[in-house]
Amino acid sequence: MKRHFWKNRQWVTIAVEEIVVGIIVMLHYQQLDIRLPPALGLLDDAPFGLLYLTVGVVLLVNSLWDFYWHRIRLVLIALSGGLWTMLTVSYALSDFVTDNVTIIPFIFGIITINVFLSAWMEPRHKLKGGGRY
């Protein structure tokens, strides 16, 4: 497990960040502006916090035990990247609508870039389900 931790430390940190954001969203939901479209305003509700938490825990388990059969790594990376992108866009739009600049979209943007760079550096055989192509 230590070997997998050092090999997948980028995914471990992304998973921990996702777990922390899931807990924060579950405890302090409804932080986005109510003038946003309903689809983006839902991203900080308790069910989405549970989704962030679930994806983070599964990604953490996947990273620590390094299993990647049936393209599970690809699905988890896509889910994580999509969740971070939607969260970044929703908070940036909330700042735009309220004419207020906060640091939250920038922090989420850095995490989103980290997710996509980590996905780019991920070995292709793990993304394809383990077969050597």
Side-chain angles (χ1 to χ4, degrees):
M1 190 163 86
K2 280 196 271 186
R3 181 174 55 96
H4 295 304
F5 172 79
W6 288 110
K7 193 166 66 170
N8 297 319
R9 65 186 172 274
Q10 295 158 327
W11 293 116
V12 171
T13 58
I14 291 169
V16 169
E17 291 164 349
E18 210 155 13
I19 291 168
V20 168
V21 166
I23 291 171
I24 290 172
V25 167
M26 285 176 57
L27 294 177
H28 300 287
Y29 57 92
Q30 294 297 333
Q31 299 295 317
L32 289 172
D33 190 60
I34 59 173
R35 293 177 286 187
L36 283 178
L40 291 176
L42 289 175
L43 293 174
D44 71 335
D45 288 343
F48 273 94
L50 188 62
L51 179 65
Y52 299 134
L53 186 66
T54 304
V55 171
V57 168
V58 173
L59 184 62
L60 181 65
V61 168
N62 182 277
S63 299
L64 290 178
W65 278 274
D66 203 25
F67 57 90
Y68 43 83
W69 60 84
H70 300 295
R71 300 180 193 257
I72 187 70
R73 182 72 58 104
L74 181 64
V75 171
L76 287 173
I77 290 171
L79 275 173
S80 185
L83 287 174
W84 282 112
T85 302
M86 288 188 308
L87 199 62
T88 302
V89 168
S90 65
Y91 273 89
L93 284 176
S94 177
D95 284 356
F96 179 74
V97 167
T98 59
D99 293 328
N100 187 14
V101 178
T102 61
I103 196 165
I104 295 172
F106 296 108
I107 293 171
F108 288 162
I110 290 170
I111 294 171
T112 304
I113 291 169
N114 185 25
V115 169
F116 289 122
L117 288 177
S118 298
W120 181 261
M121 294 174 15
E122 187 72 12
R124 298 296 172 237
H125 71 276
K126 289 184 179 182
L127 298 177
K128 293 182 178 180
R132 301 268 179 195
Y133 294 99

